[in-house]
C-alpha cells in the first residue's frame, strides 16, 4: 500500500530519495555540469564527491559516451594511486587500471601501472545513455553508496598482448598504455571473447593456475628476483549500478526516475616474474 500523500511513487528510504532527487534530474535545455557546452557526441562528464571505504572523501569523475556506448570512472586514492574503470558495452569488456606511486627511497620507480580486463555483464552498471543524463543540484554534497556489493576475488591467469589489444576493445590501448607489460585477464573470460570472434593473438599464456599454486605469495617471497603471485585490491567507491523505475496514474508504463548507487571491491591475484614488481604486497 502506498503511503498517504505519495500517489504514484513507490516508497523508498529517505536516504535513497536524498540521492535520487539531487542526482537524477531530467535535462532541460543545455546540460549542466562539466560536459555542458560541448558539441554533439562529446562525452558527458560528471564530477561527484564520494566517501571512500576508509571514511575519507575524494572527487570522482564519471564520463559517458553514448556514441561509443562506453562509461569511464576515475578517482584518486589518499595515497596518490589513480584508479580508473572503463566499461565497453559494445565489446562486453571492462578495464580496471591502477597507477601506483612508487617509493623512491626504496629504489622503486616513480609509478607502476596495472591493468585488469574482465568480461562486462550489462546488468553491472547503468547504460551509457542513462549515465550521460545524470545531473546533480549540489556538487558539494558527499555521496555514499547505498549498497555495498561483496568482494570479488579474481585469479588472473592470462596476459593480454598490448599491441593487439585494440582487437579486444578500442579503449584498451589508451587506458592501458602505461601498463603495456602488465595487462591481465582470466581464462574463462578469454573463452567467451574467442566465441565472440576475438582473435587469439590478443592473449598470451601465463603459468597455469595449477602451476601458480606452487609459487609463494609475493609478500612471503624472500628473493626479489624470483617469481611469485602478487595480489592487488581496489574499490569502486560509488557508481550508479541500477536504474530505478516509478509508476504513476498519468503514465501507462513504468518510467525511469532515478538510480541506485553501489560500492564494490575487487582483489586480483596474478603472476609476476620478479617480486620487485609487487613491492606493495609486502605483508602475508
Amino acid at each position: 500500500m502506498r503511503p498517504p500523500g505519495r500517489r504514484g511513487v513507490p516508497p523508498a528510504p529517505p536516504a535513497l530519495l536524498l540521492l535520487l532527487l539531487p542526482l537524477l534530474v531530467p535535462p532541460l535545455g543545455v546540460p549542466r555540469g562539466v560536459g555542458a557546452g560541448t558539441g554533439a557526441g562529446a562525452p558527458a562528464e560528471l564530477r561527484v564527491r564520494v566517501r571512500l571505504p576508509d571514511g575519507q572523501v575524494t572527487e570522482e569523475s564519471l564520463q559517458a559516451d553514448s556514441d561509443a556506448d562506453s562509461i569511464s570512472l576515475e578517482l584518486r586514492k589518499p595515497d596518490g594511486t589513480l584508479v580508473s574503470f572503463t566499461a565497453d558495452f559494445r565489446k562486453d569488456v571492462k578495464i580496471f587500471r591502477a597507477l601506483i606511486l612508487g617509493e623512491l627511497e626504496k629504489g622503486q620507480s616513480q609509478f607502476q601501472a596495472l591493468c585488469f580486463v574482465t568480461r562486462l555483464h550489462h546488468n553491472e552498471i547503468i547504460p551509457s545513455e542513462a549515465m550521460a543524463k545524470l545531473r546533480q543540484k549540489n556538487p558539494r554534497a558527499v555521496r555514499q553508496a547505498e549498497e555495498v556489493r561483496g568482494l570479488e576475488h579474481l585469479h588472473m591467469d592470462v596476459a593480454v598482448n598490448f599491441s593487439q589489444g585494440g582487437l579486444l576493445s578500442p579503449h584498451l590501448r589508451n587506458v592501458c598504455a602505461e601498463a603495456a607489460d602488465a595487462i591481465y585477464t582470466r581464462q574463462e573470460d578469454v573463452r567467451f571473447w574467442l566465441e565472440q570472434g576475438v582473435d587469439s593473438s590478443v592473449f598470451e599464456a601465463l603459468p597455469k593456475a595449477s602451476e601458480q599454486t606452487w609459487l609463494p605469495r609475493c609478500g612471503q617471497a624472500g628473493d626479489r628476483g624470483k617469481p611469485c603471485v602478487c595480489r592487488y585490491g581496489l574499490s569502486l567507491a560509488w557508481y550508479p549500478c541500477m536504474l530505478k523505475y516509478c509508476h504513476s496514474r498519468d503514465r501507462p508504463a513504468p518510467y525511469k526516475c532515478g538510480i541506485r548507487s553501489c560500492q564494490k571491491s575487487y582483489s586480483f591475484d596474478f603472476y609476476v616474474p620478479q617480486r620487485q614488481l609487487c613491492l606493495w604486497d609486502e605483508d602475508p
Side-chain angles (χ1 to χ4, degrees), residues 159-166 172-173 180 183 200-204:
V160 175
N161 182 346
F162 176 73
S163 65
Q164 301 295 315
L172 192 140
R173 289 186 62 84
I183 310 174
S200 60
S201 65
V202 173
F203 310 106
E204 297 177 350

Side-chain angles (χ1 to χ4, degrees), residues 18-38:
L18 287 174
L19 274 177
L20 292 180
L21 296 179
L23 191 64
L24 192 62
V25 178
L28 299 174
V30 179
R32 296 190 298 272
V34 180
T38 56

Side-chain angles (χ1 to χ4, degrees), residues 41-136:
E45 183 177 14
L46 182 73
R47 292 184 179 273
V48 296
R49 300 178 71 219
V50 300
R51 191 172 302 282
L52 300 174
D54 63 3
Q56 298 192 59
V57 175
T58 190
E59 185 178 77
E60 184 175 285
S61 168
L62 300 101
Q63 285 195 351
D65 188 336
S66 53
D67 289 342
D69 201 9
S70 66
I71 289 170
S72 64
L73 177 157
E74 187 171 87
L75 63 86
R76 189 176 297 277
K77 294 169 58 178
D79 65 2
T81 299
L82 190 65
V83 174
S84 71
F85 167 80
T86 301
D88 182 347
F89 290 92
R90 287 183 180 171
K91 296 292 188 176
D92 299 310
V93 168
K94 57 185 177 184
I95 306 169
F96 301 88
R97 185 197 65 185
L99 296 180
I100 307 159
L101 293 181
E103 297 183 50
L104 299 180
E105 65 275 13
K106 293 185 178 181
Q108 300 176 16
S109 58
Q110 186 174 3
F111 70 88
Q112 184 172 344
L114 298 171
C115 264
F116 305 104
V117 187
T118 62
R119 177 184 176 184
L120 173 68
H121 297 273
H122 288 210
N123 60 352
E124 295 181 62
I125 192 167
I126 67 173
S128 60
E129 66 270 16
M131 182 79 83
K133 295 176 182 177
L134 290 183
R135 306 289 181 266
Q136 58 179 342

Side-chain angles (χ1 to χ4, degrees), residues 6-282:
R6 297 194 53 83
R7 292 181 179 177
V9 180
L16 179 61
L17 290 176
L18 287 174
L19 274 177
L20 292 180
L21 296 179
L23 191 64
L24 192 62
V25 178
L28 299 174
V30 179
R32 296 190 298 272
V34 180
T38 56
E45 183 177 14
L46 182 73
R47 292 184 179 273
V48 296
R49 300 178 71 219
V50 300
R51 191 172 302 282
L52 300 174
D54 63 3
Q56 298 192 59
V57 175
T58 190
E59 185 178 77
E60 184 175 285
S61 168
L62 300 101
Q63 285 195 351
D65 188 336
S66 53
D67 289 342
D69 201 9
S70 66
I71 289 170
S72 64
L73 177 157
E74 187 171 87
L75 63 86
R76 189 176 297 277
K77 294 169 58 178
D79 65 2
T81 299
L82 190 65
V83 174
S84 71
F85 167 80
T86 301
D88 182 347
F89 290 92
R90 287 183 180 171
K91 296 292 188 176
D92 299 310
V93 168
K94 57 185 177 184
I95 306 169
F96 301 88
R97 185 197 65 185
L99 296 180
I100 307 159
L101 293 181
E103 297 183 50
L104 299 180
E105 65 275 13
K106 293 185 178 181
Q108 300 176 16
S109 58
Q110 186 174 3
F111 70 88
Q112 184 172 344
L114 298 171
C115 264
F116 305 104
V117 187
T118 62
R119 177 184 176 184
L120 173 68
H121 297 273
H122 288 210
N123 60 352
E124 295 181 62
I125 192 167
I126 67 173
S128 60
E129 66 270 16
M131 182 79 83
K133 295 176 182 177
L134 290 183
R135 306 289 181 266
Q136 58 179 342
K137 289 182 177 178
N138 182 6
R140 301 304 301 167
V142 176
R143 312 291 175 184
Q144 188 157 356
E146 301 159 75
E147 178 184 339
V148 178
R149 294 188 167 179
L151 172 69
E152 189 170 355
H153 193 98
L154 303 163
H155 192 92
M156 315 302 283
D157 51 4
V158 177
V160 175
N161 182 346
F162 176 73
S163 65
Q164 301 295 315
L167 299 175
L168 180 59
S169 169
H171 302 278
L172 192 140
R173 289 186 62 84
N174 180 46
V175 174
C176 299
E178 297 91 350
D181 297 321
I183 310 174
Y184 304 92
T185 187
R186 300 185 300 170
Q187 188 63 49
E188 60 193 83
D189 295 325
V190 169
R191 284 193 291 267
F192 168 78
W193 291 320
L194 291 177
E195 291 172 358
Q196 304 305 307
V198 175
D199 193 272
S200 60
S201 65
V202 173
F203 310 106
E204 297 177 350
L206 287 174
K208 296 179 180 178
S210 58
E211 299 171 1
Q212 292 187 30
T213 57
W214 297 99
L215 292 174
R217 277 278 307 279
C218 290
Q220 301 169 326
D223 189 339
R224 288 193 173 189
K226 293 292 182 68
C228 54
V229 176
C230 185
R231 174 169 294 174
Y232 187 77
L234 59 80
S235 178
L236 302 182
W238 187 97
Y239 67 98
C241 52
M242 294 174 60
L243 290 173
K244 292 196 65 70
Y245 291 84
C246 295
H247 300 266
S248 171
R249 288 182 176 180
D250 303 327
R251 302 191 184 191
Y255 61 95
K256 299 172 188 176
C257 60
I259 59 99
R260 183 168 180 81
S261 59
C262 289
Q263 172 195 310
K264 187 167 178 61
S265 297
Y266 299 84
S267 177
F268 301 95
D269 283 359
F270 54 100
Y271 168 87
V272 291
Q274 301 174 6
R275 182 192 162 214
Q276 63 186 20
L277 298 174
C278 184
L279 293 181
W280 59 83
D281 193 7
E282 293 183 344

